[in-house]
Amino acid sequence: MARIVQKYGGTSVGDVDRIKRVAARIKETYDDGNEVIVVVSARSGVTNELIARAKAIHSIPDEREMDMLLSVGEQETIALMAMALHALGVPAVSKTGAQAGIITDPAHTRARIMSFEGDRIETHLKRGEVVIVAGFQGIAENGQITTFGRGASDLTAVAVANAVKADVCQIFTDVDGVYTCDPRIVSDASKIDEISYEEMLEFASLGSKVLQARSVEFAKKYGVTVEVRSSFNNKSGTIVKEEVESMEDVVVRGVAVDKDQAKVTVSNIIDKPGSAAKVFQTLSDAGIIVDMIVQNVGRNGVANLTFTVTRSDSARAEKTVATLLDELGGGEVEVFESIAKISVVGVGMRTHSGVAAKLFSTLAETAVNIQLISTSEIKISVVIDLEQADTAARAIHSAFQLGTK
Ligand code: ASP
Ligand code: MG
């Protein structure tokens, strides 16, 4: 017997038939003698629809009311899932985040979990019930309903697994697991059996939507073992866990392609102390997250500064920097949207040399020009032309022998 958390995303509970199918799957796990706690998302599209309605009524909806509204999506699916289990003769009870005991800070629409004791859930498990918890929401100490940000039902699942000391947190989704690259780009991408928290965190931050980044951080912090698997078949998925030594045998775990980036170049600014500080402080005050940064010290006392932001922030970043140019002593700002960031990720890079050399020579052979480079201990990222992104990803994937062929 094991204690298992199963999280089902929006597509998996997208309509009544799918909810019934998921319920049958939960029943199987339950009938095998396991204790089961289920976390569900809103039906796919519902959260977007609620946001659209709010925006149709008010251009900047109040954040408290937004949480009141968005938490409804998940409340629908927990109740329907409980009913679906009842119909199969399985004792089950639904709980909102608040009822489950998830206490958060009061930051509406981006709340953080402050404390979460598993005793309320535990009581129901003792009675032999399946407990179904609404994803992505909690309650602040002041009694207000809060939500955690988009995609955060994953976080609820991991937090529940930690609170009740579950043996595993299974994230059921519409893909079979985490792949060595996006299979829509690289046709022979293969499913990864095991991946470390750190590697997964890189993939999540690099735009892989399989697991929400904060949920991976949480899992890493508390050592929660996560399994990503498909809700449409019975294949084993990808296990995300503490790094073990054998993980370093693989030099590169996978290749991530991020097409949602833009490059901002600030050129001909006076090369004096404090310029970069000013630029990045102002961007940070505007809530713009900057990723890669490169500065070239030019001749004649002027410098160029290049950085990347997510594409949706690029216009704002350009405007923000433009207001500073006078203060910086002149210069120009320019945005390039047609770029992509390609990254190779793997804990094996700590012990293997030559990853950068192989990556760069592969790109050279493919006639891909590198615009920016950044590295960390377990990752190398390059910015290249958007049009070459897929070709480059395929070449890199095959150079590091990640394919099934
Ligand atoms: N329903 C929320 C969203 O769409 C949370 C989730 O699905 O994880 O972002
Ligand atoms: Mg999701």
Side-chain angles (χ1 to χ4, degrees):
M1 192 199 86
R3 181 171 281 194
I4 301 173
V5 171
Q6 299 193 333
K7 183 260 173 178
Y8 292 92
T11 325
S12 310
V13 296
D15 56 36
V16 165
D17 284 337
R18 287 189 171 178
I19 290 174
K20 287 184 181 169
R21 222 182 298 156
V22 166
R25 184 156 199 159
I26 296 167
K27 177 175 159 49
E28 264 173 46
T29 314
Y30 178 82
D31 286 348
D32 285 343
N34 300 299
E35 292 177 317
V36 191
I37 309 100
V38 178
V39 174
V40 286
S41 289
R43 285 183 294 116
S44 58
V46 166
T47 308
N48 286 340
E49 210 179 290
L50 292 173
I51 292 173
R53 282 190 204 157
K55 295 230 158 119
I57 289 176
H58 197 298
S59 59
I60 310 166
D62 181 76
E63 290 187 329
R64 177 193 180 275
E65 302 307 333
M66 217 45 202
D67 278 351
M68 193 64 93
L69 179 68
L70 296 189
S71 58
V72 171
E74 270 73 8
Q75 268 200 58
E76 178 195 353
T77 43
I78 53 170
L80 292 176
M81 190 60 76
M83 293 171 194
L85 284 163
H86 296 164
L88 298 174
V90 178
V93 60
S94 66
K95 297 273 171 188
T96 63
Q99 290 174 332
I102 305 179
I103 314 296
T104 74
D105 66 13
H108 284 295
T109 74
R110 52 184 170 279
R112 296 192 150 261
I113 297 173
M114 305 301 284
S115 70
F116 182 12
E117 305 291 338
D119 46 327
R120 294 196 193 175
I121 294 176
E122 198 85 43
T123 307
H124 291 283
L125 294 176
K126 292 244 160 64
R127 291 188 201 146
E129 293 168 335
V130 171
V131 184
I132 302 151
V133 182
F136 151 83
Q137 57 177 278
I139 187 165
E141 269 167 352
N142 58 11
Q144 303 298 327
I145 292 174
T146 52
T147 66
F148 307 160
R150 299 307 306 269
S153 289
D154 292 347
L155 177 63
T156 300
V158 176
V160 167
N162 182 52
V164 301
K165 298 282 161 277
D167 297 290
V168 63
C169 176
Q170 299 179 323
I171 307 280
F172 287 86
T173 178
D174 47 7
V175 292
D176 288 349
V178 183
Y179 277 74
T180 50
C181 193
D182 185 338
R184 285 166 303 184
I185 298 174
V186 178
S187 60
D188 70 333
S190 50
K191 196 189 74 204
I192 299 169
D193 293 325
E194 286 193 346
I195 186 168
S196 71
Y197 293 125
E198 257 185 287
E199 290 168 328
M200 192 62 229
L201 205 48
E202 292 287 0
F203 283 125
S205 321
L206 290 167
S208 149
K209 299 224 162 42
V210 185
L211 271 185
Q212 187 232 18
R214 265 171 76 197
S215 72
V216 184
E217 261 170 57
F218 194 100
K220 177 172 190 267
K221 186 162 169 197
Y222 295 103
V224 177
T225 303
V226 176
E227 184 189 1
V228 180
R229 52 187 296 164
S230 168
S231 59
F232 302 117
N233 62 50
N234 262 316
K235 293 184 207 158
S236 64
T238 301
I239 305 277
V240 189
K241 61 173 200 180
E242 209 74 65
E243 182 177 336
V244 292
E245 222 178 282
S246 64
M247 285 183 175
E248 291 198 354
D249 295 347
V250 178
V251 187
V252 168
R253 185 81 50 206
V255 180
V257 183
D258 186 350
K259 296 181 179 176
D260 191 29
Q261 299 277 310
K263 185 175 82 170
V264 183
T265 296
V266 195
S267 40
N268 299 317
I269 53 176
I270 292 181
D271 189 19
K272 60 167 194 257
S275 297
K278 185 144 288 149
V279 170
F280 293 111
Q281 185 59 52
T282 312
L283 289 165
S284 146
D285 291 345
I288 296 169
I289 293 174
V290 171
D291 182 24
M292 298 161 93
I293 302 175
V294 174
Q295 171 168 302
N296 326 323
V297 178
R299 267 160 289 175
N300 312 324
V302 292
N304 299 334
L305 201 55
T306 299
F307 57 89
T308 59
V309 295
T310 53
R311 201 165 300 154
S312 57
D313 278 343
S314 65
R316 235 153 39 85
E318 183 178 21
K319 252 193 224 147
T320 306
V321 174
T323 61
L324 282 178
L325 289 176
D326 275 350
E327 241 182 288
L328 296 172
E332 300 91 46
V333 56
E334 218 179 332
V335 172
F336 303 87
E337 297 214 319
S338 153
I339 61 154
K341 179 168 78 170
I342 302 210
S343 311
V344 292
V345 175
V347 289
M349 284 184 211
R350 290 201 194 106
T351 45
H352 294 79
S353 59
V355 181
K358 188 171 194 162
L359 171 64
F360 300 155
S361 62
T362 305
L363 290 170
E365 284 155 22
T366 323
V368 172
N369 187 40
I370 302 172
Q371 304 177 15
L372 298 174
I373 300 168
S374 83
T375 63
S376 80
E377 208 186 0
I378 66 162
K379 178 188 75 176
I380 304 173
S381 300
V382 294
V383 164
I384 62 170
D385 194 285
L386 178 63
E387 274 183 11
Q388 292 180 306
D390 292 359
T391 318
R394 282 181 212 119
I396 296 164
H397 193 265
S398 115
F400 286 99
Q401 294 170 330
L402 294 170
T404 47
K405 283 172 214 145

